[in-house]
Amino acid sequence: MAINRVSTNQYFRLTTERMSKQQSELIKIQGQLATGQRVLKPSDDPLAMSTALGAKASQRVIDSFQSNIVYLNNQLGQMDIALGSASDIMVQIKQTMLSAGNATMTPSDREILAQDLEGRLDELRGIANRQDANGNYLFAGTYENQEPYQTPNPPAVTGRFLEQPNATAAAAVEGRSVEVARGRSIDTNITGYQLFTDPASGEDAFEVLRDAISLLRNPGFPNGQEGATPSDTYKKAFDDRRAQLDSIFDQVQLGRTKVGVRLREAETLDQINAAAQTELERVAGEAVGLDYAKAISELSQGQLQLQASQQSFASTSQLSLFSFLK
């Protein structure tokens, strides 16, 4: 019968290799406990690591969507505040225009109304030219670096939207949207042309107001149109302009409704994205996450096994033939 002998050197080598392996396992478990991750490198579990990395990549994409939603909420929120102020100013303008149709006013009364309308016009134009935190004009469409409504003569020629013909101005509604989810973008674009232009006449609120101010300051108005009394002429002139302002007011209200709808959609998508992030975090955690109770138990067992191996090795390494020759 063959007898297998283990030399002292071989025993030492096998024992030290075993203890080295135990120490490596303990170091790995300690690393897992320190990071909270079961998989510390791809070779530990390639499939689990691939799943976790895919989930993390998707989370980063959603993070960018969430950042876009923050920007979108900021832009739309500023628009909503601006349009609320514009609505209030236009209500006050229409009240002043109602008084302007009274033919019994004195020139002094008419000048007071003219100055009031001038102040309201400047307020309304200030809202139409409002800028965001980056200095971009909120209601300039794709021409966000250009003031939508300049003061006419000087520096503008007409004071109309972007100093452009209506057809060109209308084209400024294109091209401003923010991606807030996969395959879903929300338009941030509501232009001054859409908000402050009468669809029927093509005139904007500022043209209408400038015309009304000119009439109030024109000593020759009314000019005695045949068959019309001064009272009729005054009333018709300002009634017509109030009707235009009513139409423009409806456009402002429609724009504010659009802003509200987009804000609501952004809120919904924010919640959906947040839920998706939570689910992806769960997937990544399950793929490479650590069972702390199990890891602590394995660490304790490993420490005991290593301690036993070390003690056994220490005792055995002291043995030799001379130990028995006493």
Side-chain angles (χ1 to χ4, degrees):
M1 182 177 68
I3 298 177
N4 293 324
R5 294 184 179 181
V6 178
S7 67
T8 301
N9 287 339
Q10 186 178 10
Y11 169 75
F12 284 172
R13 182 176 58 80
L14 293 173
T15 303
T16 54
E17 285 178 357
R18 182 170 64 250
M19 287 191 296
S20 177
K21 182 177 180 181
Q22 289 173 324
Q23 286 178 324
S24 296
E25 288 295 324
L26 288 176
I27 291 172
K28 178 180 177 181
I29 294 172
Q30 289 169 341
Q32 290 173 334
L33 288 169
T35 61
Q37 300 292 315
R38 177 181 62 84
V39 182
L40 300 177
K41 56 183 183 295
S43 59
D44 291 340
D45 190 336
L47 181 59
M49 182 61 79
S50 176
T51 300
L53 290 175
K56 293 295 184 183
S58 296
Q59 281 185 300
R60 286 193 292 271
V61 172
I62 294 178
D63 283 341
S64 68
F65 292 150
Q66 296 297 76
S67 296
N68 287 348
I69 288 176
V70 171
Y71 166 78
L72 184 72
N73 283 332
N74 181 56
Q75 294 294 103
L76 294 177
Q78 290 182 74
M79 287 182 175
D80 184 57
I81 293 171
L83 294 180
S85 299
S87 297
D88 294 340
I89 291 171
M90 292 193 72
V91 169
Q92 295 165 348
I93 288 172
K94 289 192 293 181
Q95 291 173 346
T96 301
M97 294 284 280
L98 185 63
S99 300
N102 184 355
T104 63
M105 289 187 301
T106 65
S108 177
D109 293 333
R110 294 169 65 188
E111 177 59 26
I112 290 173
L113 292 183
Q115 290 184 17
D116 180 68
L117 288 179
E118 279 185 331
R120 299 300 182 190
L121 187 156
D122 289 339
E123 288 181 63
L124 193 62
R125 183 166 52 221
I127 291 171
N129 291 334
R130 188 159 294 181
Q131 295 169 281
D132 63 19
N134 297 318
N136 297 319
Y137 292 98
L138 289 172
F139 302 113
T142 50
Y143 300 88
E144 57 187 15
N145 295 319
Q146 183 176 337
E147 188 176 41
Y149 292 98
Q150 299 179 47
T151 303
N153 298 322
V157 176
T158 67
R160 292 181 179 178
F161 182 68
L162 298 174
E163 286 297 300
Q164 298 287 343
N166 284 350
T168 304
V173 304
E174 302 296 334
R176 289 185 63 189
S177 61
V178 176
E179 189 176 11
V180 291
R182 292 188 185 278
R184 183 68 188 103
S185 296
I186 294 180
D187 190 4
T188 63
N189 198 21
I190 296 177
T191 69
Y193 180 82
Q194 294 170 311
L195 294 168
F196 300 110
T197 302
D198 175 16
S201 67
E203 288 187 297
D204 60 50
F206 312 104
E207 293 178 276
V208 175
L209 289 173
R210 286 196 295 269
D211 191 22
I213 292 167
S214 295
L215 289 177
L216 286 168
R217 286 177 170 161
N218 182 358
F221 180 79
N223 56 9
Q225 289 95 331
E226 185 177 353
T229 66
S231 179
D232 291 337
T233 306
Y234 267 104
K235 186 174 186 304
K236 184 176 187 314
F238 288 98
D239 280 353
D240 288 347
R241 283 153 185 79
R242 276 196 305 112
Q244 286 182 286
L245 290 173
D246 283 339
S247 178
I248 295 169
F249 180 79
D250 290 342
Q251 295 299 107
V252 171
Q253 295 302 99
L254 178 60
R256 196 175 184 189
T257 299
K258 289 179 180 178
V259 168
V261 169
R262 294 170 188 178
L263 280 169
R264 185 176 61 198
E265 183 178 3
E267 181 182 0
T268 299
L269 288 169
D270 177 63
Q271 294 171 354
I272 292 172
N273 287 343
Q277 282 183 315
T278 300
E279 176 62 16
L280 288 168
E281 187 174 353
R282 184 193 66 78
V283 169
E286 287 186 355
V288 299
L290 182 67
D291 183 337
Y292 277 94
K294 182 180 178 182
I296 291 172
S297 175
E298 289 177 349
L299 180 64
S300 298
Q301 291 176 6
Q303 287 173 332
L304 288 173
Q305 290 171 355
L306 178 60
Q307 186 178 11
S309 297
Q310 289 172 335
Q311 290 174 346
S312 174
F313 178 73
S315 299
T316 306
S317 64
Q318 300 301 318
L319 296 177
S320 70
L321 180 60
F322 294 102
S323 301
F324 299 96
L325 300 177
K326 292 184 179 179

